[in-house]
Amino acid sequence: MNLDADQLDALAEVVNIGVGRAAASLHELVDRHVRLTETEVSVCRIDQVDQTLGDGCLPHDVSVVQGFQGQIAGKALLAFPERSGATLAKLIGDSPEDDEALEADTAGVQEENGNIVLNRVLGSLANEFGENFHYTEPTLATGSVGEVIANHEVRGVAAGAPTCLLADAHFHVEETSGGGSLLLAFNTQQLAVLLDRLLDATPA
């Protein structure tokens, strides 16, 4: 299903609200200013997600991923390069500076705080759409974003859906080498209905 320009703009606005709140939570966790790009929204094949993310960002090979289900289904990801993820975990968990590996305690910090950040995104999305979502437990996954979306199946995304709608906002934690992306992957089947309802409720 294709979405028109107004629908894509409406989705970007909704996601930007959630991403902004998530960035505020990340700022509180790491005690650093978090710089965000505007959310980019595109429809792509699931096997082309990594190419769609573009050549301008480092490859993301570690993600905290959380599925959501309701009238729409999808996945939210806090994705980053492995070294960047370890840097952020050190800031949050006060790990030793020479601990560069994603050991069990570091992975636990990433997962726990990824949960906080992703809940801000999804909670905001649910409020804007007036929907109730059911959430999966957040998990730490390795591999590219495309692999994570394809392999961690959630109803309506990956399973039986060759395409997804991808909302991507890059973030960078100032005074560090930490950064990554806040991503949402949606099934487009029911999303158009919610976006049209949102547009109809928006004053002209």
Side-chain angles (χ1 to χ4, degrees), residues 130-169:
E131 285 291 305
N132 291 318
F133 292 146
H134 300 286
Y135 305 110
T136 64
E137 289 294 322
T139 58
L140 193 66
T142 58
S144 71
V145 169
E147 290 171 340
V148 171
I149 292 174
N151 295 334
H152 290 70
E153 293 189 354
V154 174
R155 179 180 59 81
V157 178
T163 62
C164 70
L165 193 146
L166 190 68
D168 174 28

Side-chain angles (χ1 to χ4, degrees), residues 6-45:
D6 287 340
Q7 290 170 326
L8 292 175
D9 287 345
L11 179 63
E13 289 182 17
V14 169
V15 173
N16 273 331
I17 293 170
V19 166
R21 292 173 179 168
S25 293
L26 189 59
H27 163 73
E28 293 175 3
L29 292 169
V30 301
D31 195 25
R32 301 283 197 285
H33 178 68
V34 178
R35 180 164 43 87
L36 279 171
T37 64
E38 286 295 309
T39 301
E40 297 180 5
V41 177
S42 57
V43 178
C44 64
R45 289 182 55 86

Side-chain angles (χ1 to χ4, degrees), residues 14-28 36 116-128 182:
V14 169
V15 173
N16 273 331
I17 293 170
V19 166
R21 292 173 179 168
S25 293
L26 189 59
H27 163 73
E28 293 175 3
L36 279 171
I116 294 171
V117 172
L118 294 179
N119 276 339
R120 297 302 296 271
V121 175
L122 294 176
S124 177
L125 197 71
N127 288 338
E128 293 297 318
L182 282 161

